[in-house]
């Protein structure tokens, strides 16, 4: 029997019926023949009542919103500095050769794009590992410490990249976020390895 | 006592035992000494019976498949236009200097790559925020409206980028998808903030 | 009544009360007036006791850690070859014009960055589709085969990209990982489509 079938229809036997026998009048002697729907409907929305998961949800939403802000920053610099990557984007500034001169690269825009890509490269592992870590039942205060350090590090990384602050400001922010994700990955692999 | 321990072994007391007392013959007076395994095995696969979560799963799978299609599009343009980024990719077209002339950039290929990167930058926040939003128990019709708008906007964005359609087609598609993700993030942070 | 309200407060009726009537003394005739908190608190941490989900968690953590390693590889090549993208990164090597000569691109660094971006483009769909696939109750051995093939393909892809091995090594590794993700997407859309 497959695992999923086993999960859906657990093998029945004495002592397995959770419903009071008086309700399932067709289940004699406490041996359940059918499962009540209600048992399986309460689960989902309660996921959000777990404190670690709620904290993960809040910090993730903040850090992803911050990442989305980078798109707006790129658009802002492209428009104010008139630096475009596509001919159709600068069509309103003129035609033919006049428009083509706006198809260039600019230090400021490239800097925002590098910061954005770096965010993407670091937030994706946090998203995956952090989600699994939250579900693996960590200690609440440890988990919140991880999330806070990561979100703080990424926000500081963006500030250090965009101003820009002298090194090693950006490098330290990067390695702090990196270390937090690795620490969660280590905990997951140590406690839950299943290959 | 830690939160996770509290979740695994909830404090026992009168009125806490879900198993009919006749089954747990060792639990006198309705006070449960052990928990039946069965209670905890039904949960997982039922997540997929929640309608909001199923809708999220379907729309996410579609939008991620669309994003994966961009890889194929890049490969297609690279092969038909003979534009490569790595020397080993064009080794079959000739040796030495002859092969090197294929190591170049091409407007068409760069356009697909920009569309792909833009997808990545927008679908990653949708993936994270949308998952948490689905689990936060939103109204079904509101949730489906969000998912439909996002998936529609991203498909239209890709079409507008690849043809290309004149602006502001692409910009509107981008900001529609962006707004949908922000709206879900706003709902999450307003109702479930836990810092 | 909204779906979420229905989930939280399922319509009551005879035969719906899971608590033995002797515990809910206020629920006459087996009709439950209130739900015990305990029923809803056990769910979350048990997600990790599902074998498919544990396998997904392990393989995902490995593949994301591998992707994070690419950041370190980029940093390593940038430092040993003195190739930088930001003026502040090479400020310690000299001032003004002397520092500017380090702001260049390098084949080796660009190769690592392309491998990293390719990872990102392929692991993000795996993360999203794989998570939903794991929750959709697949056969354990089929699921583990999918995860193993994907992780193996991505590790081989990185090796083939960085050494580099002659084509079609990298192309085969890419399409194997691509096919695995599509196969999971196909299974999800076939069995759980909800639009």
């Amino acid at each position: 029997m497959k695992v999923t079938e086993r999960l859906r229809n657990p093998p029945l036997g004495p002592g397995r019926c959770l419903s009071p026998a008086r309700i399932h009048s067709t289940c004699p002697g406490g041996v359940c023949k059918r499962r009540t729907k209600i048992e399986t409907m309460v689960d989902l929305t309660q996921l959000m009542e777990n404190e670690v998961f709620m904290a993960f949800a809040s910090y993730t939403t903040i850090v992803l919103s911050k990442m989305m802000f980078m798109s707006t920053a790129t658009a802002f610099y492209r428009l104010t500095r008139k630096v475009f990557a596509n001919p159709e984007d600068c069509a309103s500034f003129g035609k033919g050769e006049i428009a083509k001169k706006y198809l260039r690269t600019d230090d400021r825009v490239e800097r925002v794009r590098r910061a954005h890509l770096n965010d993407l490269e670091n937030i994706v592992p946090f998203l995956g590992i952090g989600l699994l870590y939250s579900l693996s039942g960590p200690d609440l205060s440890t988990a919140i410490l991880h999330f806070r350090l990561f979100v703080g590090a990424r926000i500081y990384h963006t500030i250090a990249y965009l101003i820009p602050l002298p090194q090693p400001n950006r490098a330290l922010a990067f390695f702090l976020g990196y270390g937090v994700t690795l620490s969660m990955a280590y905990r997951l692999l140590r406690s839950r390895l299943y290959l």
Side-chain angles (χ1 to χ4, degrees), chain A:
Chain A
M1 189 160 62
K2 294 179 189 173
V3 161
T4 53
E5 282 173 16
R6 222 169 55 223
L7 282 174
R8 277 171 206 281
N9 307 301
L12 299 172
R16 292 280 182 152
C17 179
L18 288 174
S19 309
R22 86 176 61 82
I23 292 171
H24 285 181
S25 55
T26 54
C27 307
V31 185
C32 189
K33 292 274 182 292
R34 56 191 170 87
R35 297 191 64 75
T36 46
K37 189 77 184 171
I38 206 82
E39 286 176 74
T40 60
M41 283 183 73
V42 269
D43 311 331
L44 175 62
T45 45
Q46 308 301 336
L47 196 59
M48 275 295 187
E49 288 183 14
N50 178 274
E51 286 171 297
V52 175
F53 197 80
M54 271 177 71
F56 173 72
S58 302
Y59 286 103
T60 300
T61 309
I62 289 168
V63 85
L64 285 174
S65 304
K66 187 210 74 63
M67 193 177 95
M68 289 176 72
F69 158 77
M70 305 302 280
S71 298
T72 326
T74 309
F76 172 78
Y77 281 120
R78 279 204 186 285
L79 287 170
T80 52
R81 297 182 163 234
K82 298 193 180 168
V83 178
F84 299 99
N86 298 296
E88 69 267 26
D89 298 351
C90 44
S92 61
F93 295 119
K95 291 198 175 171
E97 292 307 307
I98 306 163
K100 264 190 186 158
K101 71 172 182 185
Y102 296 115
L103 295 178
R104 49 187 173 153
T105 55
D106 177 88
D107 267 7
R108 196 73 214 169
V109 173
E110 293 306 304
R111 182 175 284 277
V112 181
R113 291 188 61 215
R114 282 196 302 272
H116 198 167
L117 191 58
N118 193 288
D119 256 8
L120 206 53
E121 287 168 357
N122 286 283
I123 292 176
V124 166
F126 174 78
L127 203 64
I129 293 174
L131 175 69
L132 300 168
Y133 170 79
S134 304
L135 294 174
S136 75
D139 181 34
L140 177 63
S141 56
T142 316
I144 285 185
L145 182 69
H146 277 85
F147 303 155
R148 275 184 192 156
L149 281 177
F150 184 84
V151 172
R154 292 314 304 176
I155 291 173
Y156 189 69
H157 182 272
T158 303
I159 294 169
Y161 217 143
L162 294 189
I163 289 186
L165 297 177
Q167 288 283 26
N169 277 293
R170 202 183 82 225
L172 287 180
F174 172 81
F175 281 111
L176 178 57
Y178 196 83
V180 166
T181 314
L182 277 192
S183 155
M184 294 193 297
Y186 170 74
R187 193 201 185 276
L188 262 174
L189 290 183
R190 197 187 44 145
S191 68
R192 302 270 169 183
L193 198 62
Y194 188 97
L195 297 177

